[in-house]
């Protein structure tokens, strides 16, 4: 493994895994409040959200940030 892999807290975590865990923890309504994007607030689904997040770097960054904040504060 390279040094970058050791220092990357998201190494090995897929977007689908992140999104599924966030939805399980917060639910769609709360997730839509935390990250105000249409794919979370209007008829949300994992599939449509993944499609949007894969095409939209700024939205993906917000999901990554929320996931990291949640994981570092959750025992």
């Amino acid at each position: 493994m390279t040094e970058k892999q050791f220092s990357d807290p998201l190494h090995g975590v897929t977007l689908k895994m992140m999104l599924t865990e966030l939805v399980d923890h917060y639910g769609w309504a709360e997730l839509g409040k935390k990250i105000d994007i249409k794919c979370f607030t209007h008829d949300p689904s994992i599939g449509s959200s993944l499609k949007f997040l894969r095409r939209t770097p700024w939205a993906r960054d917000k999901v990554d940030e929320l996931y990291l904040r949640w994981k570092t504060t959750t025992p």
Side-chain angles (χ1 to χ4, degrees):
M1 291 189 145
T2 67
E3 185 176 318
K4 182 180 179 187
Q5 290 172 329
F6 286 120
S7 64
D8 182 4
L10 294 177
H11 179 72
V13 180
T14 66
L15 179 58
K16 185 175 183 177
M17 289 167 53
M18 272 193 284
L19 186 57
T20 301
E21 286 185 45
L22 288 171
V23 170
D24 288 347
H25 181 74
Y26 292 112
W28 286 112
E30 185 64 25
L31 189 57
K33 289 177 186 173
K34 292 187 173 295
I35 305 173
D36 188 19
I37 52 179
K38 192 174 182 177
C39 67
F40 293 167
T41 60
H42 296 84
D43 195 26
S45 73
I46 295 289
S48 65
S49 296
L50 288 173
K51 187 175 180 179
F52 175 77
L53 293 168
R54 288 180 178 135
R55 293 183 287 127
T56 315
W58 64 264
R60 169 67 187 264
D61 289 343
K62 288 182 179 285
V63 170
D64 289 349
E65 290 170 18
L66 178 62
Y67 183 80
L68 286 172
R69 276 196 319 267
W70 172 60
K71 280 302 196 178
T72 56
T73 59
T74 303

